[in-house]
Amino acid sequence: MAYKSILVHVETGAPAERRLALAAGLAERFAARLIGLTAVLPPTWSGVAGLPQLVADIEKSNEDYIAACRARFQTATATRPEDSEFRYHLNAARRALAEESAFADLVIVGDSSNDSPVESLLSADDALFAASSPVLVVPHDYGRDFVPGTVFGAWKNTREAARAERDALPLLHIARKIVVGAVAVR
């Protein structure tokens, strides 16, 4: 069992570079297609004087940001360019992730609890609640060679628990140790 497509949130900053390396390493390990996704909010129009120049400045800033994210993604996937694709949305990152995650077996995002200077508008919470696929939240200090250490699986005999375990099977296969906990409730 393996993932066939992995979606990674792309942004600028050192933590995002490490997350991209980890995603590229997992995609290579599972022979999966790697999809990079970034999103920027388009400027909104209003009746304010001088707004056209402000809108033009925001559009230019968005274009520069998308180009920087695309370049970072292409660098991370240089060894497998035929198995990678960069996508961007002119929308809120949460909405973009909700749309794109339906086509991925695994979504990889950063740990937004870290106080790093990442320009992301996507928190781990947003990803967990918006994505329709399993989400791997990666701490900012992880690198390319990701191997799960001890994995704890909480089990309850429900459809949701079975689905979560099934979605995690590829990562469980490469984990060093697996511990399963079950609670019997009457």
Side-chain angles (χ1 to χ4, degrees):
M1 171 160 281
Y3 297 119
K4 296 296 180 193
S5 62
I6 297 174
L7 177 71
V8 61
H9 180 232
V10 182
E11 55 198 356
T12 60
E17 190 170 330
R18 289 189 293 273
R19 180 173 59 252
L20 273 172
L22 181 144
L26 280 177
E28 189 173 322
R29 173 181 236 148
F30 292 117
R33 179 164 188 74
L34 184 61
I35 303 162
L37 174 67
T38 195
V40 291
L41 289 172
T44 56
W45 293 92
S46 178
V48 178
L51 189 62
Q53 183 58 48
L54 178 61
V55 168
D57 291 346
I58 292 171
E59 287 174 343
K60 174 71 170 117
S61 176
N62 283 351
E63 290 169 6
D64 292 346
Y65 183 77
I66 291 167
C69 289
R70 181 188 310 272
R72 178 157 286 178
F73 180 77
Q74 289 172 336
T75 299
T77 60
T79 60
R80 300 177 68 230
E82 69 283 352
D83 290 324
S84 63
E85 178 182 352
F86 178 80
R87 299 176 186 170
Y88 69 90
H89 283 239
L90 297 176
N91 209 332
R94 180 184 175 133
R95 174 174 245 139
L97 184 80
E99 291 175 17
E100 295 289 342
S101 68
F103 307 105
D105 296 324
L106 179 67
V107 174
I108 299 176
V109 298
D111 177 9
S112 58
S113 65
N114 189 328
D115 294 329
S116 68
V118 176
E119 300 97 349
S120 174
L121 295 175
L122 180 70
S123 69
D125 294 343
D126 284 343
L128 290 170
F129 289 107
S132 56
S133 298
V135 177
L136 176 63
V137 180
V138 179
H140 291 307
D141 58 353
Y142 262 79
R144 181 177 178 85
D145 299 321
F146 172 72
V147 176
T150 300
V151 176
F152 180 82
W155 180 256
K156 182 178 178 183
N157 193 16
T158 63
R159 179 175 48 90
E160 294 82 5
R163 174 71 192 266
E165 298 294 331
R166 191 174 319 111
D167 288 343
L169 276 177
L171 291 176
L172 295 175
H173 279 274
I174 63 173
R176 291 187 184 115
K177 182 178 178 182
I178 300 169
V179 176
V180 178
V183 177
V185 180
R186 293 184 188 232

